[in-house]
Each structure stands twice: as structure tokens, then as C-alpha cells.
Amino acid sequence: MRIGWKLVLVGGLMIVLLVPLALLDGLVAERQQRGREVAMEIARASAGNQRVVGPLLVIEAERWRRGVRRRAPAAWDGGDGARAPDAAGTDAAAWHWDEGATELVVVAPERIDLDGQLRVERRGRSLFSVPLFHAALKMEAELVPALPRLPDLQLRPRRAWLVLGLGDNRGLRGQRLRLDGRELPPAAGTPLAWLPEGFQAEIDPARLEQPMRIAVEMDLVGTGTLEVLPSGGETTVALRGDWPHPGFAGQYLPLESALDGQGFRARWALSGLSSRVPSALAACAATRPDCEALQGGGIGLRLVEPVDRYLMTERAMKYALLFLALVFGAVFLVEALAARPVHAVQYGLTGLALAMFYLLLLSLSEHIGFGTAYAIAALACSGLLGYYLAAVLGGAGRGWGFGAGLAALYGLLYALLRSEDHALLVGSGLLFAALATVMALTRRVDWYRLGER
């Protein structure tokens, strides 16, 4: 077969081999989806993402207005000690209650200090598992009760609660709430419609006349993310745990962080000028089901999986076409230079062996670690192709040389997968080296003469 037609045939085989690679890509996506479903099932059975809001003071207040009220002179003789009306029966300075008019006022603390210790365990079903955190949290807050006052409007407290919001109440394993050293009995839920999860404790409205010192201790369980909303004028958060791969999310990165093989430590400190949360709390309507101003304004900590086997397999498959091109090109080069014809079926079997690598990698990584699975799959495919090409190319040296070269390529691919920041640099260097090798080996080849064979 002339060299031109052989090139067309090899290119057609590469296109055909994209079909099993596409099927493998669909299988990876299916397994990823199943993993997400299992994570959601575990979250439903235990607890989902957790978000700590507060502690906050919520006051139910009556609305009193100053205004002119007119009464019939005969109906009011001034005998109750109040200032007598004028001749027209008008009291120009009276405060009167807007009957039925009450509102909920949210008061944020002046200062919040939170200290947390996280312990992480894995919960799983079948081949899939997710990290579950146990957070022991201690909070201290200082709060000065204050109701807004306007010249012609006065809010008078009727009831008051201390409130702490959460992301998922099912993860609450224990809690203690103290006000000025006295423990308060908590109840589930909050009076705020946009904060349905959490707990509350009702306090005497007379207690609103002096500053408050609030202490909270709780054990919280969750999956995915632990978020703390910086609700105070001054907020400090210190978290530590035994998970060595944390991801810091939210709008604020930690001021200090330390990572090692045993765990992490992180500390945040926010002032009232750097956080918009206290002002957003005051602006949120208590009866609305959501508070858009608070979305995405917290301090977040995610439990990152260090090696996601499906994501790594998906990234490895992005290089499948490159591997096919390099291996087919090398086989074609040997065929052309050594005058050793290679049949289309032999090209096809070589391509299927390369595709089998990804199936082995996916199936093995679900039972053993990704690194071990990658090594086994790479050695198996390299050995198989080395053994097969030794007969196809007419020499053990050629065949096992191909096997060793393919093993080296798999090693470079693993380095690319593990070092995402340098993937472009390593990949471009590899392509340049391959092109330079081909050009060096074929610089004296007479392609016109080869094409006449």
C-alpha cells in the first residue's frame, strides 16, 4: 500500500477509535453522577452543609407614633391625670399605638469570637464515600440592645429572643446557650422567616436595658461545607481540624493558615468596616423567605478530596487522542523506515489496547488508590503492547522498546495529572520533544522514494 493511502487509513482508524473512548467518557460521567447521588443520600441521612449565623437578638416591638388625636370634649374630662385637651378637643403631643402594628427587629452583636475543632470521618455506601465533619464550636458575643428611634416613631419591645441560625438542624448533636452566665433553655427554630433552621431562647424584655454577654457551645455535624457568617461588628474565627486538605471558600481568606499531613489551622479576623453582614441583617425583612443580601458573604471551609478518581480519570482521557497519535506515528515511522508492513487490523488492536488502559484505570481505582490503579493499568498495557509489537515489528528490541517508551509516556501523563499548575509547560515540552525526535530521525529520508513502494 502506498504511503499516502496508509496515512489516510491510520487517520481513519484514529477517528474510529474515538467511539470507544467516547463510551468510556460516558461511563466516567455516569460513575461521577452516582457518586454525587450517594453524597446527597448520606447528607439526607445525616446533615448537609452547615452555616452558622449569629448569635442574634430578635425583638418583637410595638409601633407607637406621635401625632394629633382628636377627642370629643364631653368624653374626656382630664381626670386621669393627663394633660387636658384644648377647646377643640385636640391633644397635639400624644403617643398612640398603631393597633396591630408590630415588627421584628434584628440586633447584631458588637463582637463575636468563635473557636472550633473539627474531626472528620468517612461515611460511604458501596464503592462511594464522602467526608463527614464533627465540629465542636464555642462562641462568645457581646451585644448592646438598641431599637431605632425616630422623632415621630417609637418601638416598644413586647418579646425578645436570642437566636442562632444553622444550615441543617439535623446535624445539631448538643448545645448550651448562656446569657450573662445563666443558662437558657433553647427551642428549635427561629422567629425569622429567612432563617428557618437553628434554635432560639426567649428572654425577658426588661433584660434589654443593659448590655449582654452571650456564650454558646454546640456540637455540629455536617457534610461538604462549614460556613460562618461574620454577624458581629468585630468577628474573629479560629478553626482547626484533622483533615489535611481543606479548601477556604467564601469572600474572606484566612489571615493565618497552616497545613501539614495531620491537619490544618486557620484564623480569620474581620472588622465592621470590612464586612457588610451586620448592615445586611438589619435590612432583611423578617417575614420574607430569603435574605439575598446575605448570600455568599461568609467565611467558608470545604473538605476537599485530595484525589478524585473520576476527575483524574476524566483528565487522563483528555490526552487519549494524543497518545493514539504518538503511538500510531511511531509504529508508522518504524514501518516506513524498516520496510516492515503493518496491517490495519494490527493498528486497530494497538489502539484498542491503548483505550483499554482507561477502562482498567477506572475500574481498579474504585477498589484501590488511584496511584496504585494507574501504575497497574500502565504496566499492563505497556507490557501487552511491548509483547505484541515485538512480533508485529519483527524484533524483540523494537517491541520492548515501544513498551518502555509507552511506560515513560504514562509516567509523564501521571506527572501532568498530579501537577495541574505545570500541565501546560510539561505537555508543550513533551510535544516539542516528540516532534524534534521525528524530525531528527527522518531528516535524511527520501519520502518520494518511500511513497512509490
Side-chain angles (χ1 to χ4, degrees):
M1 181 180 292
R2 291 185 176 273
I3 190 171
W5 288 109
K6 177 57 73 72
L7 286 173
V8 172
L9 178 62
V10 171
L13 282 173
M14 290 179 60
I15 295 175
V16 171
L17 286 170
L18 291 179
V19 175
L21 290 175
L23 294 176
L24 287 173
D25 193 44
L27 180 60
V28 172
E30 178 185 338
R31 304 300 282 179
Q32 282 181 314
Q33 179 61 29
R34 177 54 185 159
R36 286 190 289 266
E37 292 174 357
V38 169
M40 293 175 62
E41 292 173 2
I42 294 174
R44 285 195 296 266
S46 53
N49 296 330
Q50 291 291 2
R51 191 186 199 201
V52 179
V53 183
L56 305 172
L57 175 64
V58 180
I59 304 172
E60 182 185 53
E62 298 175 344
R63 187 180 298 156
W64 289 70
R65 295 184 182 276
R66 187 198 298 273
V68 176
R69 300 188 69 180
R70 225 171 249 288
R71 300 172 183 265
W76 183 28
D77 58 7
D80 58 357
R83 182 162 55 84
D86 57 18
T90 300
D91 179 8
W95 286 97
H96 60 277
W97 174 41
D98 288 348
E99 187 172 354
T102 61
E103 63 180 85
L104 293 177
V105 180
V106 178
V107 182
E110 299 290 324
R111 180 186 62 83
I112 295 179
D113 295 324
L114 183 147
D115 183 80
Q117 173 73 46
L118 273 68
R119 177 178 59 84
V120 181
E121 65 169 317
R122 300 196 70 90
R123 295 279 180 89
R125 292 182 181 177
S126 183
L127 298 174
F128 308 94
S129 65
V130 295
L132 180 81
F133 64 80
H134 300 259
L137 304 179
K138 295 182 179 180
M139 305 179 67
E140 293 183 356
E142 295 178 357
L143 190 148
V144 178
L147 288 171
R149 299 181 68 91
L150 297 174
D152 295 325
L153 177 65
Q154 190 178 85
L155 297 176
R156 301 182 181 180
R158 294 177 58 183
R159 303 175 67 186
W161 301 267
L162 288 178
V163 169
L164 186 75
L166 298 174
D168 191 340
N169 266 26
R170 296 173 304 162
L172 191 60
R173 297 294 184 261
Q175 71 283 327
R176 294 182 64 188
L177 176 62
R178 295 192 299 274
L179 175 61
D180 294 329
R182 185 171 65 88
E183 189 162 349
L184 301 177
T190 78
L192 302 173
W194 53 265
L195 194 63
E197 300 286 331
F199 58 89
Q200 60 180 316
E202 189 166 0
I203 62 175
D204 188 351
R207 184 64 187 78
L208 303 178
E209 299 177 359
Q210 53 186 333
M212 301 178 178
R213 295 183 63 87
I214 305 165
V216 182
E217 297 180 10
M218 61 181 172
D219 293 325
L220 199 60
V221 173
T223 57
T225 303
L226 173 63
E227 183 182 8
V228 179
L229 202 66
S231 310
E234 304 287 337
T235 303
T236 60
V237 177
L239 296 176
R240 57 193 178 278
D242 58 1
W243 187 257
H245 306 283
F248 301 119
Q251 290 190 344
Y252 309 98
L253 292 175
L255 292 180
E256 305 170 5
S257 63
L259 304 175
D260 55 38
Q262 304 300 319
F264 72 93
R265 296 189 308 276
R267 179 178 175 274
W268 293 261
L270 303 176
S271 68
L273 298 178
S274 61
S275 173
R276 60 179 177 83
V277 173
S279 59
L281 286 170
C284 289
T287 56
R288 294 194 59 178
D290 55 10
C291 183
E292 295 181 0
L294 296 179
Q295 299 301 319
I299 296 168
L301 176 70
R302 294 186 298 110
L303 302 181
V304 179
E305 293 280 6
V307 178
D308 185 333
R309 55 180 178 258
Y310 301 115
L311 179 60
M312 297 289 276
T313 303
E314 183 181 17
R315 288 179 57 200
M317 292 189 65
K318 295 182 183 300
Y319 296 90
L321 186 59
L322 175 62
F323 266 60
L324 284 174
L326 290 176
V327 174
F328 278 13
V331 173
F332 176 79
L333 189 62
V334 173
E335 176 186 6
L337 297 180
R340 179 77 181 187
V342 179
H343 197 272
V345 173
Q346 294 170 321
Y347 275 102
L349 291 175
T350 300
L352 289 175
L354 292 173
M356 184 61 66
F357 164 78
Y358 301 101
L359 182 60
L360 285 175
L361 176 61
L362 176 61
S363 58
L364 288 173
S365 64
E366 291 186 334
H367 298 273
I368 57 179
F370 179 83
T372 306
Y374 189 96
I376 293 176
L379 290 175
C381 291
S382 299
L384 175 61
L385 282 175
Y387 172 76
Y388 181 69
L389 291 177
V392 171
L393 299 179
R398 292 172 182 172
W400 292 112
F402 263 93
L406 183 59
L409 283 178
Y410 282 129
L412 287 173
L413 176 59
Y414 188 76
L416 288 175
L417 299 178
R418 298 292 294 182
S419 180
E420 186 174 359
D421 293 338
H422 301 91
L424 180 59
L425 176 62
V426 177
S428 59
L430 172 62
L431 289 177
F432 179 81
L435 178 61
T437 301
V438 172
M439 293 176 68
L441 292 176
T442 61
R443 67 189 185 277
R444 300 183 184 280
V445 173
D446 186 352
W447 293 101
Y448 288 105
R449 186 167 56 86
L450 287 177
E452 294 175 354
R453 293 180 181 176

